[in-house]
Amino acid sequence: MTRIPVSEKICAMAKVDLNLLTLFCLIYSAGSITKAADLLDISPSAVSQSLRKLRNFLGDNLFVRSGNSLLPTVYADELYDNAVLMIEKFAHLLPHASLVKKKRIILYTESFISTLVIPDLTKQIIESQSGMSLLHQSADLNEQNIIELLNLRQADIIFSTFSVQHGNLFCQKISEMKLVLIAAQTNTCYGDTVNEQQFRDAHLIGYNTRNEKIIYHRSIVDKKFRTGERCLLTTSFTTVLTMVSDTQCLGVIPEKIFHAHAQRYQLKKVETPFLLPQFSIFLSCRKESRKDNALFTLLNGLFHPPGASKGEMA
């Protein structure tokens, strides 16, 4: 057998307990010792002891505590970026490697954005056979809690109407949310257009949200073109669609939802003599997440389909 020169780097790695590196990667991904212990079905004290050994060996604290979560140091970020690639490649060579659990993406959205994003993204993941899965949660978001959710690793990706500026995070506009006025096709009070007086007197149904941008623009429209409150504000788009379909009311919803459900609910779009507000939707994530090529290929295909003029996510 041909002899191969011994690498000094390999000799140095012989002093490293690879189990400690694997455990470090789990703590880094889970964001807490308790969650890492649950994944391995061992005690948190055993995880803490192993982390202490790695800290002593590397001479770096690796994590600092913030509430119930652990935040990585700069060195830990660099260590994870390099170690996780090596460990994942090695895992593929092991017997039963195909039995490794699917990669789960924790995704947050503002509630009214959920129906604009989640169905299409789920279909894209299923069709890609990428082995990914989604855990979706909706919440009332603002710039501050988006930063906290991502930095505390409670979320991997967040879709919102906020452009977040933070050193550790990546944020990019992915689409526009245009609002439209709708009515039932059988509505006898309104044709394909309404004038200002008709809009002012109409029984209007809208979506109830705590989003400050939407509340602000809604107040401007109401102040200029309305004489009374909306007859219904609800957190359910299904309720908006059903009520508009079954009554003489008008409703305001995102154009994408109208196109998806117009036929089912027998709805029509009603033109207004003024422009309804339009909002940008942003994707926010940790900068390290952009190294997940499979995930960002899916996202780029979802929001920038073939033939679209928009460029790829930077």
Side-chain angles (χ1 to χ4, degrees):
M1 183 178 71
T2 304
R3 289 184 177 273
I4 300 175
V6 177
S7 166
E8 292 183 2
K9 292 182 178 179
I10 292 178
C11 288
M13 284 299 296
K15 301 176 183 178
V16 181
D17 186 342
L18 293 182
N19 287 327
L20 296 181
L21 281 179
T22 302
L23 191 61
F24 159 77
C25 289
L26 285 175
I27 297 172
Y28 187 100
S29 300
S32 81
I33 288 174
T34 302
K35 290 179 181 178
D38 289 341
L39 289 171
L40 296 173
D41 197 22
I42 60 177
S43 68
S45 61
V47 176
S48 296
Q49 185 177 0
S50 296
L51 178 59
R52 193 178 306 115
K53 290 180 181 178
L54 187 61
R55 281 169 164 165
N56 292 335
F57 179 80
L58 297 175
D60 189 272
N61 202 41
L62 298 178
F63 300 99
V64 292
R65 183 163 294 282
S66 176
N68 295 324
S69 298
L70 296 176
L71 298 181
T73 63
V74 173
Y75 178 79
D77 281 331
E78 184 177 358
L79 177 63
Y80 177 83
D81 288 344
N82 288 276
V84 72
L85 296 175
M86 175 189 69
I87 292 170
E88 287 180 349
K89 287 181 180 179
F90 182 68
H92 286 301
L93 300 176
L94 297 176
H96 312 298
S98 61
L99 299 180
V100 175
K101 290 183 178 180
K102 290 183 177 181
K103 181 174 181 180
R104 171 171 287 181
I105 307 299
I106 302 175
L107 189 152
Y108 274 71
T109 67
E110 293 181 84
S111 57
F112 60 90
I113 291 179
S114 300
T115 52
L116 304 177
V117 174
I118 300 304
D120 289 343
L121 183 55
T122 303
K123 291 177 186 176
Q124 192 92 348
I125 287 176
I126 293 172
E127 292 172 359
S128 71
Q129 298 182 341
S130 60
M132 296 180 189
S133 63
L134 290 179
L135 176 61
H136 169 243
Q137 299 190 56
S138 59
D140 293 321
L141 299 173
N142 55 49
E143 187 170 350
Q144 184 57 41
N145 62 21
I146 289 173
I147 293 173
E148 291 177 356
L149 284 168
L150 291 171
N151 280 338
L152 295 178
R153 302 182 185 280
Q154 296 173 1
D156 297 309
I157 294 176
I158 295 177
F159 293 102
S160 72
T161 57
F162 296 93
S163 176
V164 178
Q165 305 297 322
H166 191 274
N168 296 329
L169 305 181
F170 167 79
C171 183
Q172 181 168 318
K173 184 172 76 171
I174 56 171
S175 64
E176 298 288 348
M177 181 178 70
K178 180 182 178 182
L179 299 180
V180 295
L181 187 67
I182 62 169
Q185 293 179 6
T186 56
N187 193 310
T188 58
C189 296
Y190 309 101
D192 294 331
T193 62
V194 294
N195 56 42
E196 288 188 14
Q197 187 60 47
Q198 287 176 314
F199 184 82
R200 184 172 285 110
D201 297 336
H203 293 294
L204 192 60
I205 298 174
Y207 189 84
N208 189 27
T209 176
R210 294 182 182 178
N211 183 288
E212 294 177 357
K213 292 182 180 180
I214 293 180
I215 292 173
Y216 170 73
H217 285 284
R218 185 167 64 202
S219 68
I220 292 177
V221 171
D222 286 358
K223 185 176 181 179
K224 188 173 182 179
F225 299 108
R226 296 284 296 169
T227 55
E229 295 288 336
R230 285 163 166 74
C231 65
L232 173 65
L233 285 176
T234 174
T235 57
S236 167
F237 278 126
T238 300
T239 299
V240 176
L241 296 170
T242 301
M243 288 297 297
V244 171
S245 177
D246 293 344
T247 67
Q248 300 291 309
C249 295
L250 298 177
V252 179
I253 61 172
E255 187 174 41
K256 184 173 181 179
I257 293 179
F258 167 74
H259 288 311
H261 300 286
Q263 184 173 358
R264 179 185 303 175
Y265 288 91
Q266 297 295 297
L267 302 173
K268 63 182 179 181
K269 184 163 65 172
V270 180
E271 300 295 335
T272 60
F274 51 86
L275 293 177
L276 291 174
Q278 180 170 303
F279 302 93
S280 298
I281 298 178
F282 294 88
L283 176 151
S284 300
C285 67
R286 294 182 296 278
K287 287 182 177 178
E288 71 196 46
S289 300
R290 296 173 61 203
K291 297 178 182 179
D292 190 332
N293 293 329
L295 174 60
F296 269 74
T297 297
L298 286 175
L299 292 172
N300 193 69
L302 178 64
F303 298 108
H304 302 153
S309 58
K310 297 180 182 179
E312 292 187 356
M313 292 183 180

